[in-house]
Amino acid sequence: MIRDGLATLLASAPDIEVVGQAGDGQEAVELCTELRPDVVVMDIRMPRLDGLAATERLAGKGGDGTKVLILTTFDLDEYVYEALGAGASGFLLKDASAGDLIHAVRVVASGEALLAPSVTRRLISDFARRRRHERPRSDLVDVLTPRELDVLRLISRGLSNAEIAGELFLSEQTVKSHVGNVLSKLGLRDRTQAVVFSYENGIAG
């Protein structure tokens, strides 16, 4: 019933087409292989294959690059930290409004900004703090120019390209170029991975 409601809500947006629904993680992976959606709205707790494992298969290193938006209760779903490592692109609380959900799907599809910066930063910071002791600061940081480091720090604060441009007095196109360079040099897929990298390596402060 809830899934049908979410699908109806998303389909009401003129720029969103709901191409499929799945009752569990295994079915989600199979449908995504067939339908190739731009974004998957994923629950964490599901039968057969949970959302964490499904996210790993879709958005992890061996996946096809599908963007995954996790719906979470935050305080209850401890697995959300692992979902970050599995490749999830965004997070939304289950008590979010209809408008928030539609906006979240658009944001994840564009890869432009993190969702709910205050919540996401807190979550990512905790996630990175748990893992930081596992490895030293990456030598990859040294390949970034000072300006690219500035951009990475601002990305880690959840700022969009336009906001970064305002902070650094640059054009939005220049910022977009810097963001592309950062992701390419660090071997990262998207801004979410850039934020995790930033926190893990102490760049975000």
Side-chain angles (χ1 to χ4, degrees):
M1 182 174 64
I2 294 173
R3 188 172 68 248
D4 285 342
L6 290 173
T8 300
L9 171 66
L10 289 169
S12 70
D15 56 341
I16 296 177
E17 179 185 3
V18 178
V19 296
Q21 295 185 49
D24 58 62
Q26 183 61 44
E27 186 182 2
V29 172
E30 293 169 357
L31 273 179
C32 285
T33 301
E34 175 187 347
L35 300 173
R36 313 287 291 183
D38 298 305
V39 177
V40 175
V41 180
M42 184 83 73
D43 197 358
I44 291 286
R45 297 169 179 174
M46 293 184 291
R48 287 214 295 168
L49 189 69
D50 65 29
L52 175 63
T55 297
E56 175 101 45
R57 294 190 187 183
L58 293 172
K61 291 181 179 178
D64 59 9
T66 301
K67 294 182 175 68
V68 176
L69 169 64
I70 298 287
L71 281 177
T72 177
T73 53
F74 183 67
D75 290 326
L76 299 178
D77 285 329
E78 287 295 319
Y79 291 131
V80 77
Y81 298 107
E82 295 180 59
L84 264 174
S89 294
F91 299 88
L92 190 67
L93 302 185
K94 288 182 178 177
D95 60 358
S97 69
D100 287 340
L101 176 60
I102 291 172
H103 174 68
V105 169
R106 290 172 177 153
V107 170
V108 169
S110 70
E112 262 304 295
L114 291 170
L115 302 176
S118 61
V119 173
T120 307
R121 275 204 308 274
R122 194 173 48 165
L123 183 150
I124 290 176
S125 178
D126 191 13
F127 164 79
R129 190 164 51 247
R130 293 179 182 201
R131 292 180 53 185
R132 190 179 298 154
H133 70 279
E134 296 176 7
R135 61 178 182 174
R137 186 173 186 268
S138 173
D139 292 336
L140 286 173
V141 174
D142 298 331
V143 306
L144 300 180
T145 66
R147 180 57 81 194
E148 288 166 353
L149 272 174
D150 290 339
V151 169
L152 180 55
R153 290 189 183 97
L154 294 176
I155 290 174
S156 72
R157 286 168 46 192
L159 272 63
S160 67
N161 285 354
E163 291 167 333
I164 293 173
E167 286 273 338
L168 299 180
F169 303 102
L170 300 171
S171 72
E172 195 169 341
Q173 186 58 43
T174 298
V175 171
K176 186 175 181 180
S177 177
H178 283 315
V179 171
N181 289 340
V182 168
L183 297 181
S184 177
K185 287 182 178 181
L186 299 180
L188 304 174
R189 186 193 65 230
D190 55 28
R191 298 169 80 99
T192 304
Q193 288 191 349
V195 174
V196 173
F197 178 92
S198 182
Y199 275 97
E200 283 186 322
N201 291 279
I203 296 168

